[in-house]
Amino acid sequence: MDSMRTPQRAGIAGFYRGLGANIGRACVLNATKMGVYDISKGQVADATGWDRKDPRTVFMSSVMSGFCMTITVSPWDMIRTKLMNQPTDAKLYDGFVDCLVKTVQEGGVLSLWRGFIPIWARFAPTATIQLLTIETLYSTFGYAQI
């Protein structure tokens, strides 16, 4: 198990490689999910005549949110993964910006979205289940919906 050797090779700090990119990714992911979800909910309701609380509106808005999450988070995922997987004995990148620049130089800007379809296949159902669940719980317990 490589995780058992990490403290020996890189100390406790080795467990925190890529933490900054992970935090940035989480911020971008959640801001995109909730922002797109709220805006698309209004647009879906206006375009279809469905109520904002209608499960069809929630479903369609969640799928749109998952798609937009994939667009905004894929570059962060790429950089985070490269930072976290770099060898402990031979540092390949000096941080987020260095990794981003080297990645774009090696593979072009579109390389940041490599793996888009599998990421979307993960995000779309996850966002849909999360948002349908939270809306149902809000409704069940009498809270205002998103």
Side-chain angles (χ1 to χ4, degrees), residues 22-87:
N22 232 346
I23 292 169
R25 175 195 180 275
C27 293
V28 168
L29 183 141
N30 288 301
T32 303
K33 177 173 33 177
M34 299 312 293
V36 170
Y37 175 68
D38 186 49
I39 291 169
S40 63
K41 222 173 138 178
Q43 291 180 346
V44 168
D46 290 345
T48 62
W50 300 334
D51 188 65
R52 284 181 64 93
K53 297 177 183 180
D54 189 311
R56 296 173 295 182
T57 304
V58 173
F59 177 80
M60 293 299 296
S61 302
S62 298
V63 171
M64 285 186 234
S65 179
F67 182 75
C68 291
M69 282 168 45
T70 309
I71 292 170
T72 60
V73 172
S74 290
W76 290 86
D77 269 347
M78 176 68 71
I79 302 306
R80 174 193 68 157
T81 301
K82 286 184 170 204
L83 287 171
M84 292 173 74
N85 289 334
Q86 66 182 330

Side-chain angles (χ1 to χ4, degrees), residues 2 20 25 32 55 61 101 105 115 118 130 132:
D2 195 46
R25 175 195 180 275
T32 303
S61 302
V101 168
Q105 286 174 344
Q130 287 172 342
L132 277 168

